[in-house]
Amino acid sequence: MYSSISEFIEDWNQEAVSTQTVLDALTNDSLQQEVSSDDRTLGRIAWHTVTSTPGMLSEFGINVPQVENADTVPQSAKEIAGIFRRVSTDTAHAVKEQWTDAALKEEVNVFGRTMTKGATLTLLVKHIIHHRGQMTVLMRQAGVRVPGIYGPAREEWVQIGMEAPSI
């Protein structure tokens, strides 16, 4: 749980940059990658990550522009990535402008649960991390190079002069 807006902004910006890196690596063809016919495609997960962020903020009581045509997944990976750029900037700006450090201790009812506003922001960050992980697995299956997030991806080890760890 966050106890200061600046702590959230720092964490959000770091995780948003990592998510942006993943979204920027997607290709139009990769958006169709699926685990099964019963599950979301890579494109649907990416788009959900983009569109659910302002939706969650609204649920938390933060006014932020919503994504237009949120129910229709774009066919362009660049469009999805571009809209996330705006969403991530809007998120940091809206939280900074609309909430204070003291407000983070206030309780709100979110998705049928009572939690502090600071906990809602933690939920938001964990949500994009969760979906980013799903996207990277589907990217591998789609043959898209996965960027390193908290360390080098398999393909990046050689760039730092090391051999990739064996399985």
Side-chain angles (χ1 to χ4, degrees):
M1 178 183 91
Y2 296 105
S3 56
S4 74
I5 298 297
S6 63
E7 181 184 23
F8 165 74
I9 298 294
E10 182 179 337
D11 207 23
W12 173 259
N13 286 340
Q14 177 182 346
E15 297 304 334
V17 165
S18 293
T19 300
Q20 188 69 60
T21 301
V22 167
L23 293 172
D24 286 341
L26 297 177
T27 65
N28 294 347
D29 289 341
S30 73
L31 299 179
Q32 302 310 312
Q33 183 66 41
E34 60 182 16
V35 173
S36 76
S37 59
D38 294 330
D39 296 301
R40 293 174 174 162
T41 62
L42 175 54
R44 173 60 68 189
I45 294 169
W47 190 235
H48 169 74
T49 303
V50 173
T51 62
S52 64
T53 297
M56 289 176 74
L57 289 168
S58 292
E59 178 75 17
F60 304 162
I62 297 173
N63 296 316
V64 65
Q66 299 298 302
V67 175
E68 291 184 31
N69 303 315
D71 293 333
T72 305
V73 179
Q75 297 301 306
S76 165
K78 285 187 182 208
E79 181 179 352
I80 293 171
I83 294 172
F84 185 74
R85 263 187 200 80
R86 178 188 56 82
V87 165
S88 63
T89 300
D90 288 349
T91 296
H93 179 75
V95 171
K96 187 176 181 179
E97 293 298 315
Q98 296 175 40
W99 282 2
T100 63
D101 291 351
L104 296 178
K105 296 176 185 168
E106 297 171 8
E107 291 190 341
V108 290
N109 186 309
V110 175
F111 306 122
R113 294 177 36 200
T114 301
M115 60 180 71
T116 64
K117 288 181 175 181
T120 65
L121 296 178
T122 300
L123 180 65
L124 181 70
V125 171
K126 288 181 178 181
H127 185 255
I128 68 168
I129 293 169
H130 162 72
H131 288 303
R132 188 174 67 219
Q134 291 177 318
M135 287 187 283
T136 60
V137 171
L138 289 170
M139 288 168 72
R140 281 258 184 247
Q141 292 177 340
V144 175
R145 185 175 180 188
V146 175
I149 302 297
Y150 298 120
R154 180 180 66 221
E155 299 86 351
E156 296 171 330
W157 281 92
V158 71
Q159 294 171 349
I160 60 173
M162 297 180 73
E163 200 171 307
S166 62
I167 301 170

